[in-house]
Amino acid sequence: MAKEGSGSILQFAPLQSSVDEGFWHRLSSLKLNKFGIDDSPIPISGFYAPCSHPQVSNHLTLLAESLLSDSNDESTMPSVIRGNRNRCSVPGILYNTNTMEGFHALDKQGLLKAEAMKIWEDIHSGKAVEDCAVLSRVLLISFADLKKWNFHYWFAFPALALDPPATLVDLRPASQWFTLEEAESVSTACNEWRNSSVTADVPFFLVSIGSDSHAAVRHLKDLEACQRDGQKLLFAFYDPCHLPNNPGWPLRNFLALISARWNLKTVRFLCYRENRGFADLNLSLVGEALITVQQGWREQQCVPNAVGWELNKGRKVPRCINLAKSMDPTRLAISAADLNLKLMRWRALPSLNLEILFSLKCLLLGAGTLGCQVARMLMAWGVRRITLLDNGRVAMSNPLRQSLYTLDDCHNGGDFKATAAVRSLQRIFPAVEAEGIVMAIPMPGHPVSSQEEKSVLEDCKRLNDLIDSHDVIFLLTDTRESRWLPTLLCANRNKITITAALGFDSFLVMRHGPGPFNSIPNLKAETEDSLAAGMDNLVLTNTDGQHRLGCYFCNDVVAPTDSTSNRMLDQQCTVTRPGLAPIASALAVELLVGILHHPNGIFAEAEIANSSSGGNFELPLGILPHQIRGSLPHFQQMTLLGHSSNSCTACCSTVSCVRISKERYAIHTPGY
């Protein structure tokens, strides 16, 4: 019994798209970390399943796994796990443009035609018979605005247009087309096909029914065997559509295969649909169509016209989705913070190693004007783990120049700078792992009473442990003597050490050279004999024979003393021009990034700008100086070189050796 309107043009229900948020997140990650400005087509895999609800069609879905992994493997195709009954794979291609203008300028009809050509070639080569999943394809064009998390996109499901269109002879529910015996056997055979991991996701197949009403489900390549047996034959496919009067979109290319490959003019088809995981012949449809095509259409060089661009509310326009509102604020902040760094790797700095920066642990000694600015700059470079050490409190004069503090931090005598700075960093960037330590740095030349001696020794031990547990140490304190003990400890531990010091209108930024040891000794396992033997490891030269670079104290002939007692107010405070600290802080962090990206790291030889013998401009970040001295009155900046001194009070071999021998019992420092 034919449906009313039989003999009319066969009309197909368009396929609809659905994109999981994970797909856009994966695309963003690939774009930032792997593709950059490369806008070459990207292979993708879509997924669909037969309709499983009488009132809702299934969509073709893109998931995170629809894209290849963002790891550095050589795979060019997304990994698809076969055998999932709810994920019939559809191969496809993604064109993601770099600009919105590029998105609009894409030759959409040309791209659609190219994808249809792939289907046409697979039909004529026989690949579509061996692997019927290639009969369906998905085309996606997009523009990802990673700054605002807007994604503009447009789907196409390429379909070969029969010319003239197929004529519908009959279409009815499958339960009305089969006899009771046939219906029971077809249901059983289809359920077995769907429940097998080998065939669960094979979307096109044959259903043959013998004279005894026994049904069998077979692969497309078995067509000739079915025809020889003289059995009743239906061309079946997983139909994502729920409509009672229209077959789903996959039938279009199936009919093209049947006509071009087997030259059939009358086709009976089964639109397989199910309910709760089992065949539902009341929802499924059986139809009969007549195919008449023009002469030469079956030739491979005669590619049919292609259709398939998805409509958006009935119009041929792209869609847009914004994920910012649905994202966790912390995750959104991390993505936004990393955006500038990852964009650097597209063109300006492809060799930028973000993994080093993300994993770095930095200790900032001093949370004043310099400490606040350095912390901000470190976060801008992607450093996530920052420890600030300071024992001062936030004063009313601080917030204007110390960027991490506000007036609220000054009330009731002022909060401790270390803890207030951490709160501020976490408000600025919730993902930062910041710790504030309230502690004074023991200083030579400052008398210590007998009551304070135990506490000072504990502070020495704690400072030693902090330096040992961090990768980079910034010396950002107000006084010269407060830099002495950290300099000595850093030299002994061979830590990357950066000093920033301010005058009224001048500044110094420098990296300390490596310590006097070729290797870091295991102090806990040392004996007095091994310490004596270790004297041979105390050297003034790097492993390559170059002279060691000096530390902050190497050019001093006077030991550090108390610089705050018996001083007027303007001599006790760091009185500087306001623009000086931001400049010095930024240079200090940039110097660190240069060290991390230099092949020799802390052992890198000093380079001087405009020098014929130095200055390796082939490095991605330019030269790596030892010292940078700047003068605001002259708006001038110089790069200088200073070698280590064998009489340095902080990093020479004699001082380091004495400190090691005493460390076995307690950490003592000269001057106490």
Side-chain angles (χ1 to χ4, degrees):
M1 147 180 136
K3 294 287 286 184
E4 184 180 351
S6 61
S8 60
I9 293 176
L10 179 58
Q11 295 182 332
F12 310 89
L15 198 57
Q16 295 176 298
S17 65
S18 174
V19 188
D20 184 79
E21 286 189 10
F23 175 85
W24 299 122
H25 289 298
R26 174 72 67 84
L27 176 60
S28 301
S29 177
L30 287 168
K31 180 68 175 172
L32 287 171
N33 301 321
K34 191 169 186 177
F35 300 141
I37 60 174
D38 183 2
D39 57 0
S40 302
I42 305 167
I44 58 174
S45 290
F47 305 98
Y48 79 99
C51 173
S52 57
H53 193 283
Q55 295 180 338
V56 180
S57 296
N58 279 340
H59 295 181
L60 185 136
T61 304
L62 294 187
L63 307 169
E65 51 264 47
S66 296
L67 283 161
L68 63 158
S69 170
D70 54 1
S71 62
N72 291 324
D73 56 31
E74 298 298 322
S75 174
T76 58
M77 289 293 294
S79 57
V80 177
I81 300 176
R82 304 303 298 266
N84 187 333
R85 59 180 290 132
N86 296 314
R87 290 189 184 178
C88 301
S89 178
V90 177
I93 206 79
L94 163 65
Y95 291 87
N96 186 61
T97 63
N98 287 312
T99 65
M100 192 65 185
E101 291 76 12
F103 175 74
H104 289 304
L106 285 173
D107 179 8
K108 300 172 182 59
Q109 194 56 36
L111 295 176
L112 183 66
K113 184 79 171 179
E115 293 306 298
M117 173 67 83
K118 296 176 184 177
I119 299 173
W120 189 241
E121 290 174 349
D122 289 340
I123 287 175
H124 281 272
S125 68
K127 182 179 179 180
V129 175
E130 295 296 325
D131 181 13
C132 60
V134 300
L135 270 178
S136 299
R137 290 192 67 83
V138 56
L139 168 64
L140 175 61
I141 61 174
S142 66
F143 166 62
D145 183 349
L146 302 182
K147 193 171 185 179
K148 298 180 180 178
W149 283 91
N150 283 327
F151 297 88
H152 303 264
Y153 65 99
W154 200 347
F155 274 93
F157 307 105
L160 303 171
L162 297 174
D163 186 18
T167 302
L168 181 64
V169 176
D170 187 15
L171 185 67
R172 67 181 78 176
S175 59
Q176 299 179 17
W177 198 87
F178 297 115
T179 65
L180 290 177
E181 293 80 5
E182 290 174 343
E184 183 177 351
S185 183
V186 167
S187 295
T188 300
C190 288
N191 289 334
E192 290 177 355
W193 178 267
R194 287 283 285 155
N195 289 329
S196 169
S197 61
V198 178
T199 57
D201 60 350
V202 178
F204 299 94
F205 50 96
L206 302 173
V207 175
S208 60
I209 305 174
S211 57
D212 58 355
S213 299
H214 176 74
V217 177
R218 308 177 76 167
H219 289 278
L220 296 183
K221 60 185 178 182
D222 298 328
L223 176 65
E224 292 184 6
C226 295
Q227 289 175 325
R228 285 198 304 268
D229 295 341
Q231 298 176 333
K232 189 186 299 183
L233 182 66
L234 292 95
F235 292 87
F237 70 100
Y238 293 161
D239 190 355
C241 173
H242 79 282
L243 298 177
N245 299 321
N246 300 93
W249 197 253
L251 181 59
R252 298 197 69 136
N253 291 333
F254 200 13
L255 291 179
L257 167 70
I258 294 167
S259 175
R261 189 75 182 174
W262 295 303
N263 197 23
L264 297 179
K265 294 182 172 57
T266 302
V267 178
R268 288 177 179 170
F269 56 85
L270 169 64
C271 306
Y272 174 81
R273 302 168 182 176
E274 59 188 21
N275 186 13
R276 300 177 186 234
F278 296 96
D280 187 341
L281 296 189
N282 290 317
L283 186 58
S284 300
L285 302 176
V286 171
E288 184 175 341
L290 299 178
I291 305 175
T292 305
V293 295
Q294 294 179 351
Q295 188 65 28
W297 185 83
R298 297 185 183 91
E299 300 297 327
Q300 183 170 355
Q301 62 270 20
C302 183
V303 183
N305 291 328
V307 295
W309 284 107
E310 185 179 21
L311 299 180
N312 180 9
K313 298 179 180 178
R315 300 165 56 205
K316 285 189 176 182
V317 293
R319 302 173 187 267
C320 180
I321 184 173
N322 180 273
L323 298 187
K325 294 181 181 179
S326 63
M327 291 178 65
D328 174 73
T330 299
R331 182 177 179 181
L332 189 60
I334 294 172
S335 299
D338 294 345
L339 179 62
N340 182 62
L341 296 172
K342 292 181 177 181
L343 291 180
M344 285 184 188
R345 300 201 298 189
W346 284 18
R347 262 185 281 209
L349 197 57
S351 60
L352 180 63
N353 191 332
L354 295 180
E355 288 68 29
I356 290 180
L357 294 166
F358 291 161
S359 62
L360 205 64
K361 286 189 70 175
C362 292
L363 174 62
L364 278 56
L365 302 182
T369 310
L370 288 168
C372 290
Q373 291 294 135
V374 167
R376 295 292 298 265
M377 292 299 103
L378 286 172
M379 288 201 305
W381 266 110
V383 176
R384 299 287 179 262
R385 297 190 287 177
I386 300 172
T387 302
L388 295 105
L389 184 148
D390 200 300
N391 74 326
R393 293 181 179 271
V394 183
M396 288 289 184
S397 61
N398 292 153
L400 285 177
R401 292 194 301 161
Q402 300 182 6
S403 59
L404 294 181
Y405 309 125
T406 66
L407 186 62
D408 291 340
D409 300 317
C410 306
H411 295 159
N412 302 316
D415 296 335
F416 282 109
K417 286 185 174 181
T419 54
V422 167
R423 288 199 306 268
S424 182
L425 291 176
Q426 292 170 341
R427 284 195 299 267
I428 294 167
F429 184 58
V432 69
E433 299 176 31
E435 181 183 4
I437 295 177
V438 179
M439 191 186 92
I441 298 175
M443 296 180 285
H446 290 241
V448 176
S449 65
S450 57
Q451 293 85 353
E452 296 174 313
E453 182 176 347
K454 182 178 180 181
S455 174
V456 170
L457 289 175
E458 289 176 353
D459 287 344
C460 292
K461 178 66 167 65
R462 189 178 185 189
L463 180 61
N464 182 70
D465 293 341
L466 283 170
I467 288 174
D468 195 36
S469 62
H470 286 76
D471 305 306
V472 179
I473 317 300
F474 283 89
L475 306 186
L476 310 169
T477 53
D478 289 341
T479 62
R480 180 171 169 271
E481 60 268 28
S482 61
R483 302 168 190 265
W484 179 80
L485 180 58
T487 298
L488 186 150
L489 296 173
C490 289
N492 184 254
R493 289 289 188 266
N494 222 30
K495 295 290 183 177
I496 297 176
T497 310
I498 308 287
T499 283
L502 305 178
F504 166 66
D505 53 12
S506 61
F507 66 84
L508 165 68
V509 174
M510 66 176 294
R511 58 184 174 108
H512 293 204
F517 291 97
N518 273 331
S519 60
I520 300 174
N522 183 352
L523 296 175
K524 294 182 180 179
E526 291 281 12
T527 64
E528 293 292 341
D529 292 338
S530 62
L531 278 172
M535 287 289 290
D536 294 335
N537 288 331
L538 297 170
V539 294
L540 289 175
T541 57
N542 292 337
T543 53
D544 60 358
Q546 298 292 334
H547 204 289
R548 280 199 303 120
L549 297 178
C551 74
Y552 179 69
F553 293 93
C554 277
N555 293 327
D556 291 333
V557 295
V558 179
T561 57
D562 187 352
S563 65
T564 57
S565 299
N566 196 26
R567 294 289 196 273
M568 297 182 64
L569 182 61
D570 65 331
Q571 294 172 316
Q572 295 180 27
C573 298
T574 306
V575 179
T576 66
R577 289 174 60 166
L580 208 61
I583 297 173
S585 301
L587 288 174
V589 176
E590 295 294 328
L591 191 60
L592 167 64
V593 177
I595 296 171
L596 296 174
H597 285 80
H598 195 284
N600 297 327
I602 193 175
F603 292 99
E605 186 178 352
E607 298 169 317
I608 301 174
N610 302 320
S611 170
S612 59
S613 60
N616 187 356
F617 290 97
E618 294 181 0
L619 291 175
L621 290 167
I623 69 168
L624 186 59
H626 176 219
Q627 300 179 28
I628 307 165
R629 292 182 181 267
S631 169
L632 278 186
H634 300 96
F635 289 93
Q636 190 178 38
Q637 189 171 292
M638 298 180 295
T639 53
L640 303 175
L641 167 62
H643 289 133
S644 59
S645 168
N646 58 7
S647 299
C648 178
T649 59
C651 78
C652 74
S653 57
T654 304
V655 174
S656 296
C657 183
V658 170
R659 194 197 69 79
I660 292 173
S661 63
K662 291 188 176 181
E663 190 180 54
R664 291 175 47 78
Y665 310 103
I667 299 180
H668 287 277
T669 57
Y672 292 112

